[in-house]
Amino acid sequence: MSLHADARAVLADWTAPTPEEEVLRKEFLAHLDAHPDAMWRTCAPGHLTATTAVLSHDGRKVLLTLHPKAGMWLPMGGHCEPTDRSVAGAALREAVEESGIPGLRMLPGPLALDRHRVWCHPPHSWHLDLEYGAVAPPGAECVISDESLDLRWFPVAEIPEPSDEATRRLAARAQAALRSLSPH
């Protein structure tokens, strides 16, 4: 299955948790239908991207990167690559590359959708973001990549400024997804 077909299948099967995300889900599907190149950064109107909120092994903290272009604390994420077999795989690859943490365990997802303006194609383009969660192994140590100004763990309920509501929402949903999988 192609990455485009995977993204379409994921979105077709996904139940949006909010009316706003249902609108986005339908818009993402229409974008995929209209653009055979929708998975690649060369798609100027916008392209699908993959993001991952990396949680500590106990789910109490989220690892955020201080993004050099956005100037905000954000989860790991980025563009899909031709070697990616699935959107979830792209999300995992980006999380490992940007966190330096091997052995991340993906949570079932996607957990959220987000659309935001970016600088890929002047004057602007859109990232149509499928957002996932992952859990780091106990004792995981992060390594700052050259795609980040800083990398830090924050309590999920205490994400610092500057950040955005999409980051807070994704971290909270990842934490809830992890709790739902854990025995009580």
Side-chain angles (χ1 to χ4, degrees):
M1 179 183 297
S2 72
L3 191 57
H4 190 281
D6 174 73
R8 191 163 204 318
V10 167
L11 287 163
D13 291 343
W14 189 64
T15 302
T18 67
E20 296 80 12
E21 286 170 284
E22 177 58 17
V23 169
L24 285 179
R25 185 186 77 81
K26 289 177 180 175
E27 288 176 1
F28 287 17
L29 284 166
H31 187 79
L32 283 164
D33 290 344
H35 300 279
D37 62 342
M39 300 308 298
W40 315 122
R41 71 175 78 202
T42 54
C43 186
H47 38 277
L48 274 74
T49 53
T51 292
T52 305
V54 176
L55 298 178
S56 58
H57 75 281
D58 59 7
R60 293 184 188 158
K61 294 183 178 181
V62 61
L63 184 64
L64 299 177
T65 179
L66 185 55
H67 195 282
K69 291 181 182 172
M72 297 191 308
W73 290 102
L74 299 172
M76 316 299 124
H79 295 102
C80 296
E81 301 291 342
T83 55
D84 294 326
R85 294 184 171 278
S86 67
V87 178
L92 177 60
R93 177 187 49 74
E94 285 286 340
V96 171
E97 287 175 2
E98 293 183 20
S99 72
I101 300 174
L104 295 176
R105 179 174 50 97
M106 292 297 284
L107 296 168
L111 300 174
L113 300 180
D114 186 57
R115 179 180 60 204
H116 48 272
R117 280 186 153 179
V118 291
W119 42 87
C120 296
H121 301 278
H124 70 79
S125 183
W126 294 95
H127 276 179
L128 312 178
D129 204 26
L130 279 75
E131 300 183 332
Y132 292 82
V135 182
E141 293 187 27
C142 58
V143 178
I144 298 174
S145 76
D146 53 0
E147 295 183 42
S148 178
L149 297 174
D150 198 357
L151 198 60
R152 291 191 209 165
W153 293 99
F154 296 100
V156 169
E158 298 172 25
I159 292 172
E161 294 295 341
S163 191
D164 62 12
E165 195 51 42
T167 297
R168 289 178 181 82
R169 177 187 64 199
L170 179 57
R173 287 189 186 168
Q175 187 179 57
L178 178 60
R179 285 183 179 152
S180 74
L181 296 174
S182 300
H184 297 108

